[in-house]
Amino acid sequence: MSNFETSQKDYQEYAKLASSAESLIYSDPRSSLTVFGTFGEQLTKEIMHLDDLGDWELNQKQRIEKMAYSKNEYPPTVLNALNLIRLRRNKATHDDHFIATKKIALEIDQSAYLVWKWFLEVYSLDKVADYVEPQDQKALIKTQEDKIKALEEKIKQLQQNRVQEVIISPEERERRRQINVQFAKKHELTEAETRQLIDQQLRDAGWEVDSQKLNNWTQKTEPQKGHNMAIAEWVLPNGQRADYALFKGLEFYGIVEAKKWDQDIVGQMAQPKEYSKEVPFRSDYRLVSNEMGDYKVPFIYTANGRPYLKQYQEKSGIWFWDARNHKESAYALEEFHKPEDLSLKLSAKNKEEANQDLVDDQDFPDFAHREYQIAAIQAMENAIKDGKKRILLAMATGTGKTRTAIALMYRLLKHKRARRILYLVDRNSLGKQTANAIKDNKIGTMSISSICGLKELSDKAPEISTKIQIATVQGMIKRLFFSEDSDDKPSVGQYDFIIVDEAHRGYAEDKELSDKEYQFYSQEDYVSQYRRVVDYFDATAIGMTATPALQTIDIFGKPVYSYSYQQAVLDGWLVDHDAPVIIQTQLSQEGIHFKKGAEVSLFDQDEKTINKEKLPDNMNFDVKDFNKRVITRSFNEVVCDELAQRYLDPNDPNLGKTLIFAATDEHADMVVDLLKKAFKKVSNPVDDDAIEKITGSIRHPNQEIKNFKNETNPNIAVTVDLLTTGIDVPQITSIVFLRRVQSRILYEQMLGRATRLCPEINKSKFTIYDAVGIYEAMNKVTNMKPVVKNPGHNVHYFLNHKDDFFETNEDSAQYQVDMAGAVERKIKRLDDTKRDEFQHLAEINSVDQWARELSKLDKSQFLKQWPKFEQLDHIKPVKPKQIISDAVDKVINVSRGYGHGNQKPADYIENFNKFVKENVNTIPALQVVATRPKDLTFDELKKY
């Protein structure tokens, strides 16, 4: 095999596994399936390695999905075979009731051979003979062992001179793609194989199915009590046969039309609809609804066995139509409904009747009885009545979005418009806060939780009686896409409504991930996975946010109702803030400077150690770098002294509470220490519990958040990002900024922590203390440029969107500039070792010179640099060490004002809505969002 030297893994494993599995087929079929599963698992790892797909330590299901989503055009028969091997291995390994037969083992042997044949043709240039069914291996074991030993020796020799790193040339990548295409043409999925795929999709959804054995036409199969059956080839009175008839017990639930693998299915509803009309009344089964006109069976599906891909949804997924709702169009699902999902749909009231009941019901709960809250509920209910599947509510922080959502959920459940609702949050603290609100708010003497039935964060799955379930998006991502346990995975129809709290998070491109989140997600992963959660369920999704952005309306459409901060202040529901107190120090104005050759102390964030090093170059830092790139205790000390001396007093509860935003966890520790010392300096010592750090690193963050809200202490909380969103502490009267953020959305959320009313302390305003110039930096509302030109995207992002930005886009000049900027930013993060490594791999004389020239190249020259971009993407920068500055600081000026021009910034929601209205007819992407948001393409959003 001529190409073995390109591999980093030992091919002998595959030969041994395949041979040993074949030898077990006749003596121990179950064990042979387990061995074949290991064979498939190792092979997918090797494929991902050889094709440079990365992340090849994913589980087997994720690897197959990643292959399917790639642009390498892997043959569907191969992906199907790998998935079949995986499923059989799981059954043989984990299901004690599974019976492994010789027939099943031989089927898997044939599938494994197909994969092996394809693999060798693509990666070793070998041509492989067609499959021959193995003989009973008992008499051949000795001969087989000798062959294996000879093969091992041959492979060992080939391994000795192999290259350790795999570099795929564009020509080799294209050669493999062409082989994949030709292999797929020669090995098309047969109709029987497609039926096997659909069988498996139905089986995964909890239906008993076997197209050959459970067949009405050939086997006279009929529905049975206590069985959820997908009966193949159901014969109708006119002689036609529905591909599958779905029965829950004796109740006739649905019809499935099966199409060929490569056939569009979006327009194939006519035939199963006709079948639904042809179903006769019979005594041996029950029809479940008489409110469908000519239709006898309510749930209609078409499928071709292909996994759902949003980009190719006309050709993939499972298309679904509910005959009870004639005015609603068919739409694509990722999976079939489970029988219980369809029972849930049937238990809901007729949509038109329920919608009218909502309109007629003018009795709104007392806990959400403000005029704007009622208007918001009515606007959402009208959107539901109009059939919208994605709805956005924009309400300023502190105006009661959670209570409004709880009231909406109560009304939907009361009128049976909804049967089960998922309340989705992105952090545990918000989930617990929401659960407490559902328990505390009442209708009469009964809490909403007791009326509706509530499952909280610790409950993975709802019970039959559960009407509201709270979950984190991270937990839902894990259960939906990263779990091998199918029993743990929610079904597509488990919920019929989803409330997405703080909908801007996870969708906003400029969201700042926490240190912990960066360990698990890239920015792009977080955004795409968050969206997949919403798209997975067959449910109406309602997003709530105080800070809508174009990314948010890309998913939910423009807000159906908006209530701005400015209007809420004018209406008396929120408090305003005075002109901020601007604290300027000598270092914040002049910066911190180090000369070449100076010996400095460096804090290593990974090792948590301090080391001495001499600087190779001059280094300069301004205030935006303070406490991130450079640690400056003196700056923080003089600011804390100023706050303690003139503004803050934890010993006076009538002054309210203070929230301080620090840059890092270590910085928060420093601020806590300096503040306690500062109050001692002014002869106003405070309880040790009066000032605390509240970040994700402390032992019980949720308890400390609760204490901050309900107890006297802590009076001053120092946080990084844990308290930026959704935390309701009305007593906060002071916000202190000791960190800069780049996100307008994040900044608005920070300010929102202090806008709530608090009559107990006669709170009429809140005060901002700004030591880092953030107020002036965020002074303009029209900060929507990142949506159009995305300066925050990294190299990896541009590599994954080459087609969108460069291949199919005539005007790619701006994207070239943006990518050149991303390259420049990454290079600046590399240390000397990593720079030298990249310079050697890319075969360039000067990294800096190469990067500077990128934006000046013409398009063809720029695209020739793509292999270098891919090499740069693989270089991982180390976490930067922080320089510790001993420079002495002092306060040089304290003033009140709104920054340059001394003008108060405009309201975010009002200006956002104004922007959309003024530009909806001039920016095509906005016009699409406003009128038909589902049709918005990635290219349109990026272009404008």
Side-chain angles (χ1 to χ4, degrees):
M1 299 178 185
S2 58
N3 227 22
F4 273 149
E5 65 271 17
T6 65
S7 174
Q8 287 182 316
K9 293 188 67 66
D10 197 346
Y11 280 84
Q12 65 183 350
E13 290 296 322
Y14 309 130
K16 287 165 61 179
L17 284 166
S19 298
S20 61
E22 280 197 338
S23 68
L24 287 168
I25 286 175
Y26 288 86
S27 60
D28 190 354
R30 179 182 283 268
S31 294
S32 75
L33 295 177
T34 302
V35 177
F36 274 128
T38 306
F39 160 82
E41 184 174 18
Q42 293 200 24
L43 201 60
T44 53
K45 285 185 179 182
E46 186 67 8
I47 293 164
M48 296 191 78
H49 169 69
L50 290 173
D51 280 341
D52 195 27
L53 290 177
D55 290 334
W56 52 280
E57 289 299 339
L58 298 169
N59 65 42
Q60 175 74 338
K61 181 174 181 289
Q62 294 159 9
R63 284 195 293 272
I64 295 171
E65 286 179 348
K66 190 157 189 174
M67 291 170 64
Y69 296 154
S70 76
K71 298 180 180 179
N72 294 339
E73 299 195 52
Y74 296 110
T77 48
V78 172
L79 297 176
N80 178 43
L82 284 169
N83 198 46
L84 189 63
I85 293 169
R86 176 186 72 86
L87 292 169
R88 292 299 194 191
R89 189 270 299 270
N90 288 349
K91 285 286 187 181
T93 305
H94 303 296
D95 188 350
D96 293 337
H97 301 290
F98 172 69
I99 299 175
T101 64
K102 181 182 71 174
K103 180 177 179 292
I104 292 174
L106 286 171
E107 288 175 353
I108 297 302
D109 181 60
Q110 188 170 2
S111 296
Y113 191 88
L114 173 76
V115 175
W116 186 234
K117 173 183 171 72
W118 163 79
F119 181 80
L120 293 180
E121 290 185 7
V122 173
Y123 299 101
S124 72
L125 309 180
D126 285 4
K127 294 297 180 183
V128 183
D130 291 335
Y131 173 77
V132 177
E133 184 176 312
Q135 304 173 35
D136 188 338
Q137 300 294 307
K138 293 177 183 176
L140 303 175
I141 289 178
K142 182 64 172 69
T143 305
Q144 195 76 5
E145 289 177 350
D146 292 340
K147 287 182 179 179
I148 292 173
K149 287 180 180 178
L151 181 60
E152 287 177 346
E153 183 60 33
K154 181 180 178 181
I155 294 174
K156 186 176 180 181
Q157 294 173 5
L158 291 168
Q159 291 279 325
Q160 290 177 353
N161 298 318
R162 68 182 179 184
V163 178
Q164 291 300 308
E165 183 171 1
V166 177
I167 299 177
I168 312 170
S169 68
E171 293 77 16
E172 172 63 12
R173 195 181 295 276
E174 177 59 22
R175 185 194 69 81
R176 293 178 186 177
R177 192 188 71 80
Q178 289 294 338
I179 293 177
N180 286 334
V181 171
Q182 294 305 316
F183 193 96
K185 289 180 179 179
K186 293 178 184 177
H187 300 83
E188 291 184 351
L189 283 172
T190 65
E191 184 176 344
E193 288 172 328
T194 303
R195 285 295 185 93
Q196 286 181 0
L197 293 175
I198 299 175
D199 277 7
Q200 188 59 51
Q201 289 176 327
L202 286 163
R203 194 175 293 116
D204 289 341
W207 299 93
E208 297 177 36
V209 59
D210 186 320
S211 289
Q212 294 181 355
K213 295 181 180 179
L214 301 180
N215 189 300
N216 180 251
W217 184 46
T218 62
Q219 305 296 326
K220 307 302 181 186
T221 306
E222 298 288 344
Q224 301 176 39
K225 289 183 178 180
H227 292 264
N228 301 321
M229 302 174 69
I231 301 175
E233 298 193 274
W234 185 261
V235 181
L236 298 166
N238 60 6
Q240 292 184 306
R241 302 189 299 272
D243 291 322
Y244 298 89
L246 304 182
F247 288 92
K248 188 175 189 298
L250 299 180
E251 294 183 324
F252 202 156
Y253 270 22
I255 290 174
V256 181
E257 174 69 10
K259 293 299 178 184
K260 293 181 179 179
W261 169 271
D262 58 351
Q263 187 172 356
D264 283 7
I265 54 177
V266 62
Q268 302 298 325
M269 280 287 173
Q271 191 170 351
K273 283 182 178 180
E274 287 301 315
Y275 292 161
S276 176
K277 294 178 180 179
E278 293 293 330
V279 170
F281 293 96
R282 280 176 25 184
S283 60
D284 54 343
Y285 59 68
R286 290 192 297 274
L287 301 180
V288 295
S289 177
N290 58 3
E291 300 176 350
M292 301 181 294
D294 294 336
Y295 296 101
K296 310 297 192 309
V297 178
F299 304 122
I300 310 298
Y301 300 88
T302 60
N304 60 6
R306 297 182 69 164
Y308 174 78
L309 282 174
K310 191 173 183 66
Q311 307 94 301
Y312 304 107
Q313 58 181 346
E314 292 82 6
K315 294 179 179 290
S316 66
I318 292 101
W319 279 76
F320 170 72
W321 186 68
D322 188 339
R324 300 171 305 156
N325 303 301
H326 295 183
K327 295 180 182 179
E328 293 187 7
S329 301
Y331 50 90
L333 300 172
E334 295 197 21
E335 297 177 2
F336 280 102
H337 294 102
K338 287 188 174 181
E340 296 78 15
D341 297 339
L342 299 183
S343 295
L344 191 71
K345 283 182 175 292
L346 289 171
S347 67
K349 189 183 293 186
N350 176 275
K351 286 186 178 180
E352 291 186 6
E353 183 182 346
N355 288 337
Q356 191 59 49
D357 288 347
L358 286 170
V359 172
D360 294 339
D361 184 1
Q362 297 300 307
D363 183 17
F364 295 85
D366 290 340
F367 57 80
H369 209 265
R370 295 174 182 175
E371 183 178 344
Y372 66 86
Q373 291 171 334
I374 292 174
I377 294 169
Q378 290 174 328
M380 289 187 286
E381 291 175 351
N382 285 331
I384 293 168
K385 180 181 178 182
D386 292 340
K388 292 193 68 173
K389 297 283 285 185
R390 298 289 182 265
I391 298 167
L392 183 62
L393 173 67
M395 289 173 60
T397 298
T399 55
K401 290 189 297 295
T402 302
R403 291 195 302 276
T404 302
I406 294 172
L408 174 66
M409 290 192 292
Y410 167 73
R411 286 170 59 84
L412 291 173
L413 293 167
K414 172 184 175 182
H415 295 292
K416 294 188 178 182
R417 181 60 178 84
R419 300 302 293 162
R420 187 179 293 139
I421 300 171
L422 173 65
Y423 197 101
L424 202 60
V425 298
D426 76 332
R427 39 181 85 178
N428 286 335
S429 57
L430 298 185
K432 292 181 178 179
Q433 182 172 290
T434 302
N436 290 335
I438 294 174
K439 294 173 185 175
D440 293 342
N441 287 296
K442 298 179 178 181
I443 302 294
T445 59
M446 295 183 66
S447 68
I448 298 295
S449 61
S450 62
I451 295 172
C452 298
L454 173 68
K455 286 291 183 182
E456 301 185 47
L457 293 173
S458 58
D459 303 304
K460 288 187 177 181
E463 296 176 351
I464 294 176
S465 61
T466 301
K467 297 296 186 290
I468 300 173
Q469 180 169 9
I470 301 171
T472 64
V473 64
Q474 295 88 346
M476 194 58 70
I477 286 171
K478 182 178 179 181
R479 295 202 287 278
L480 288 176
F481 310 120
F482 296 94
S483 175
E484 280 288 321
D485 184 0
S486 58
D487 293 335
D488 188 36
K489 183 177 181 178
S491 62
V492 293
Q494 189 159 290
Y495 313 99
D496 41 18
F497 279 84
I498 302 175
I499 307 291
V500 183
D501 197 8
E502 306 296 347
H504 60 279
R505 290 181 62 84
Y507 299 112
E509 298 287 354
D510 57 0
K511 174 187 179 294
E512 294 193 358
L513 300 179
S514 69
D515 292 338
K516 285 190 175 181
E517 286 174 319
Y518 270 125
Q519 297 174 21
F520 303 104
Y521 305 109
S522 70
Q523 185 86 341
E524 187 179 8
D525 286 341
Y526 191 91
V527 172
S528 63
Q529 293 295 349
Y530 201 144
R531 181 167 187 164
R532 278 193 71 189
V533 171
V534 175
D535 288 343
Y536 171 81
F537 290 107
D538 178 18
T540 298
I542 300 173
M544 302 188 304
T545 181
T547 48
L550 284 184
Q551 301 96 326
T552 324
I553 64 172
D554 172 30
I555 296 169
F556 293 99
K558 66 179 182 179
V560 297
Y561 182 81
S562 297
Y563 190 65
S564 68
Y565 169 67
Q566 185 179 55
Q567 190 62 50
V569 170
L570 293 174
D571 291 345
W573 297 116
L574 294 180
V575 299
D576 203 357
H577 63 268
D578 281 346
V581 176
I582 310 297
I583 302 175
Q584 296 176 326
T585 74
Q586 185 171 336
L587 290 180
S588 71
Q589 298 305 296
E590 298 177 0
I592 297 176
H593 311 279
F594 296 93
K595 291 188 176 181
K596 179 179 179 179
E599 185 175 74
V600 297
S601 298
L602 294 177
F603 176 64
D604 190 316
Q605 295 184 68
D606 288 327
E607 301 295 330
K608 307 300 182 186
T609 58
I610 296 177
N611 303 299
K612 295 283 188 179
E613 288 187 17
K614 286 189 176 181
L615 293 179
D617 297 293
N618 294 334
M619 297 193 74
N620 302 298
F621 302 96
D622 60 25
V623 68
K624 72 176 182 296
D625 302 313
F626 286 13
N627 307 311
K628 286 188 175 181
R629 294 182 62 206
V630 59
I631 299 172
T632 166
R633 186 178 180 88
S634 182
F635 164 78
N636 291 285
E637 183 175 17
V638 298
V639 172
C640 288
D641 287 347
E642 183 70 17
L643 291 171
Q645 183 175 355
R646 299 181 58 183
Y647 300 108
L648 306 182
D649 185 0
N651 291 321
D652 186 351
N654 290 321
L655 293 179
K657 297 197 172 193
T658 299
L659 183 58
I660 299 176
F661 291 104
T664 65
D665 208 75
E666 292 80 10
H667 180 218
D669 287 327
M670 178 194 295
V671 172
V672 169
D673 177 58
L674 290 174
L675 272 176
K676 291 178 179 179
K677 291 177 178 177
F679 284 111
K680 284 185 179 179
K681 290 180 187 178
V682 295
S683 301
N684 188 23
V686 299
D687 290 343
D688 195 59
D689 294 338
I691 305 172
E692 287 187 0
K693 175 181 77 172
I694 302 181
T695 68
S697 68
I698 65 175
R699 186 176 182 185
H700 299 298
N702 291 323
Q703 182 58 47
E704 292 308 314
I705 292 172
K706 189 175 181 179
N707 292 343
F708 187 45
K709 178 177 180 177
N710 299 319
E711 307 297 333
T712 301
N713 287 329
N715 178 272
I716 298 177
V718 185
T719 191
V720 179
D721 61 359
L722 190 62
L723 302 182
T724 56
T725 296
I727 301 300
D728 181 7
V729 184
Q731 297 94 328
I732 295 175
T733 56
S734 299
I735 298 286
V736 180
F737 286 107
L738 294 177
R739 65 177 284 201
R740 280 273 192 104
V741 295
Q742 302 303 314
S743 166
R744 170 69 191 209
I745 289 176
L746 184 58
Y747 171 70
E748 292 281 347
Q749 291 291 327
M750 290 171 163
L751 287 185
R753 299 313 99 215
T755 61
R756 290 167 172 81
L757 299 173
C758 188
E760 293 86 353
I761 58 173
N762 297 314
K763 177 180 174 183
S764 59
K765 61 180 177 60
F766 70 94
T767 305
I768 301 166
Y769 300 92
D770 181 7
V772 292
I774 189 173
Y775 197 94
E776 183 173 353
M778 292 288 175
N779 204 1
K780 302 296 182 183
V781 169
T782 54
N783 183 22
M784 296 187 183
K785 294 178 182 178
V787 176
V788 178
K789 297 184 179 177
N790 294 304
H793 285 325
N794 57 24
V795 174
H796 186 74
Y797 178 88
F798 284 106
L799 288 176
N800 284 346
H801 293 87
K802 183 181 181 183
D803 289 345
D804 300 315
F805 291 162
F806 301 99
E807 299 285 349
T808 60
N809 197 305
E810 293 295 325
D811 184 15
S812 59
Q814 183 61 52
Y815 301 123
Q816 182 173 330
V817 171
D818 289 349
M819 186 169 185
V823 169
E824 187 70 47
R825 287 192 295 275
K826 179 153 189 180
I827 287 174
K828 282 184 169 64
R829 294 171 58 203
L830 301 179
D831 61 14
D832 290 341
T833 302
K834 296 290 185 180
R835 286 166 65 92
D836 291 343
E837 179 184 351
F838 171 64
Q839 191 164 293
H840 174 72
L841 289 173
E843 299 180 343
I844 52 181
N845 295 324
S846 168
V847 174
D848 294 325
Q849 184 66 28
W850 171 75
R852 277 194 296 270
E853 292 175 353
L854 289 176
S855 62
K856 304 170 187 175
L857 300 176
D858 62 38
K859 184 175 180 178
S860 62
Q861 291 174 320
F862 185 82
L863 289 175
K864 289 180 181 178
Q865 308 301 310
W866 213 262
K868 296 181 175 64
F869 298 149
E870 292 175 332
Q871 290 165 338
L872 179 61
D873 185 46
H874 287 295
I875 304 293
K876 303 300 181 186
V878 296
K879 281 189 176 181
K881 297 177 180 178
Q882 295 177 305
I883 295 177
I884 300 174
S885 169
D886 296 324
V888 177
D889 203 0
K890 63 181 179 180
V891 174
I892 59 175
N893 183 48
V894 177
S895 61
R896 302 198 78 149
Y898 296 108
H900 184 71
N902 206 38
Q903 294 201 358
K904 188 174 182 179
D907 181 82
Y908 186 92
I909 291 178
E910 289 191 349
N911 279 268
F912 180 83
N913 289 336
K914 182 180 178 182
F915 174 83
V916 173
K917 289 177 182 177
E918 290 178 351
N919 293 278
V920 71
N921 293 319
T922 58
I923 300 180
L926 280 180
Q927 190 173 33
V928 174
V929 166
T931 59
R932 43 188 177 87
K934 286 187 178 180
D935 295 339
L936 180 68
T937 66
F938 187 82
D939 284 340
E940 288 173 324
L941 184 61
K942 293 302 174 189
K943 183 176 180 181
Y944 298 100

